[in-house]
Amino acid sequence: MKRFLSLLSLVLALGTAYAQQQSPEMVQFLKEFPQRAAFNTHSYEFIDVVDTPAPKGYEPFYISHYGRHGSRSDWGGDATYKVVRDILAKAKADGVALTPAGDSLLRESAIIYAKYDGMDGRLTPRGVREHARLAQRMYDRFPQVFQKGSGEIRAVSSTTPRVLISMNGFTTRLMQLQPSLHIDLDSGEKFMAYIARAENGTIRARTREELARRPASGEDFFTPVLHTLFQNPEEGRKYISSPGSFLYAIYAVAKVAEANDIDDNLFRYLPFGAVYRFHEDNFLSAYLNQCNSELNGDLRLPQAQELVDTLLTQAERVISGKSNRAADFCFGHDWPYLGLCSYFGLEGVGDRLSTEDAAAHWMASWNCPFAANLQMIFYRNGSASAPVLVKFLVNERETAIPALTPVEGPYYKWEDFKAFCAARVPKTQIVAHRGYWEGNRENSIESLRKAQMFGAWGSEFDLHLTSDNVVVVNHDRTIGKVNIQKNPFSALKDVPTLDEYLAQGEKNKDCVLVLELKPHESAEREDVLVEECLKALKAHKLMNPGRIAFISFSYHICRELAARCPGYTVQYLEGDKTPAEVFADGINGIDYHYSCFQKHPEWVKEAHDLGMSVNVWTVDNEKDIRQMKELGVDQITTNKPALTREILFGRK
Ligand code: MG
């Protein structure tokens, strides 16, 4: 529903007119098969697939499969289906004549509405057939896995009914083909963390900003549609209060027609320019949110980590002989499937593209139709010393990983692929020092907002207590000539309070707030600072170990926080104590100047062995950032978040 509304609001914001550059490649792709304009509600296209012969002596022995559910009805209540039917039916009942095309759209939208019948997101019969056919093709294509293997298979599904029924369609066909198979089926909330982990709020916010920048003006799509549907377009116009939402409703009906076994092209009721734009809005939003885009890929790939780890661990157990399974099947949704393909860097679907390049070249409906799937097929030969090979099928087509060199054709060494995955997402996180302040004031609320929108793991800021116990955000002890700690708040000008700062902090759940509590003249004043900070955090509902971390040069403050907030990250800043000394005092982290780790690189491992977190400040030049990455610190605090990200992801 959310996605529908956000698209709808975009459409309404733009009115009915767009100017756009159409990509000849995309135009041809859509004209070749108009139903592709449905993007991720396009039904699966079964095409003949070709297998490159495996290297001599190699045979498949194990399959890992992630499959999206098959064709379904739309969701969002009946709004999408009902709008078109009701408007046309009302006009007709009032004696406003429809054209033959208008009559035909009324009839078809009524059929789809009846099939929907109040069932949001229901797997249609076509969706079941898609999965049965996929199973059949897999069985026919890799008989060795099923006939020579153990016959032991495990299938897990998302808890959503359409996915459970997809799993049922797939596995039932396999059992019909080979009743001796032993297939364990499972589903449950605890699997959802990896089967269906969604992209985060920051990614969605960045995508919205990016899409809002795309140009709008020019062609009028509404008038031609009125002429298509009504004998008297002026009369017809009176029944439509919102042209943008009416056009989108026609698109919405057209894009689920196929799922309901209506193979007629309902997109024909709209001008091609409108279809093109709706399609583009749909798939660009998905590409930017869910794939390895230049805009969001660095934030998106880590979200796929648990799914990647799960699939790789399952395969590794089979390869090492700890498990006897012939196959692991996982049934889920489009966004985790896209995240997985992106993590694996699979050519086509997982390419890292600019927004403009994605709009022109990302073949959306091939990449992510209903029942989209990724299959990893594992091969070995008789010799124990020969490497295990793996090939990747995206929607059953052999697909390359451009970053890796295959043994031959689409066959990769499993060990190479594992090493590629291990280095794909950096383990080190970025903390924006005093916010992302380039072009802004350090420690300003805007610098925090920019750090959040950048997608920094955390944003750091400095805290002092005024003489009348107001906590303010500022680095220096003085503002102008006024000493913050010795003066009342009324003596200060133009400085955010902690309360104001946290109001911005709470808006983004993905960016950790790193509070630096500055040393004060006495332990008593420091205790008041701690007390006031905790009070403010509670008031903003931020007392959550995932949302905040504490750092301080004051050992007293660190000890106080560690005692009062067990389970929260507290990092000591001074650099004058070994990790073991800090740990012995109950403090669970260090955040030292990089020169400390250059002198004592062993402290990183020492701290990790004690279960402590390691942060480092303030690392701004390439050589030092690279060195801290190599040392494996957990966080790098930097004034150069963008440069740090490039280095962490190995692009610089
Ligand atoms: Mg600081």
Side-chain angles (χ1 to χ4, degrees), residues 319-366:
I319 291 165
S320 64
K322 291 195 184 110
S323 159
N324 203 23
R325 276 183 208 154
D328 276 288
F329 300 144
C330 187
F331 296 88
H333 303 265
D334 52 359
W335 72 90
Y337 150 83
L338 287 170
L340 190 60
C341 293
S342 300
Y343 198 110
F344 290 172
L346 294 165
E347 189 167 34
V349 59
D351 291 341
R352 184 178 167 90
L353 302 173
S354 68
T355 304
E356 292 316 308
D357 281 347
H361 308 299
W362 197 71
M363 293 295 121
S365 317
W366 270 1

Side-chain angles (χ1 to χ4, degrees), residues 84-109 225-233 235-237 239-240 246 269:
V84 178
R85 185 200 68 160
D86 286 0
I87 287 174
L88 295 180
K90 175 85 169 60
K92 193 169 175 166
D94 291 349
V96 175
L98 303 180
T99 61
D103 270 322
S104 150
L105 176 58
L106 171 59
R107 192 170 53 251
E108 287 177 311
S109 57
V225 170
L226 291 174
H227 283 268
T228 302
L229 302 179
F230 298 98
Q231 306 256 7
N232 181 339
E235 282 299 305
R237 186 187 289 270
Y239 288 81
I240 299 161
F246 180 65
Y269 298 111

Side-chain angles (χ1 to χ4, degrees), residues 433-434 443 460-462 475 516 518 551 553 573 637:
H433 183 234
R434 304 177 196 167
N443 279 319
E460 186 260 4
F461 52 98
D462 305 292
H475 178 263
E516 179 179 348
K518 288 291 184 190
I551 59 176
F553 282 99
L573 287 164
T637 301

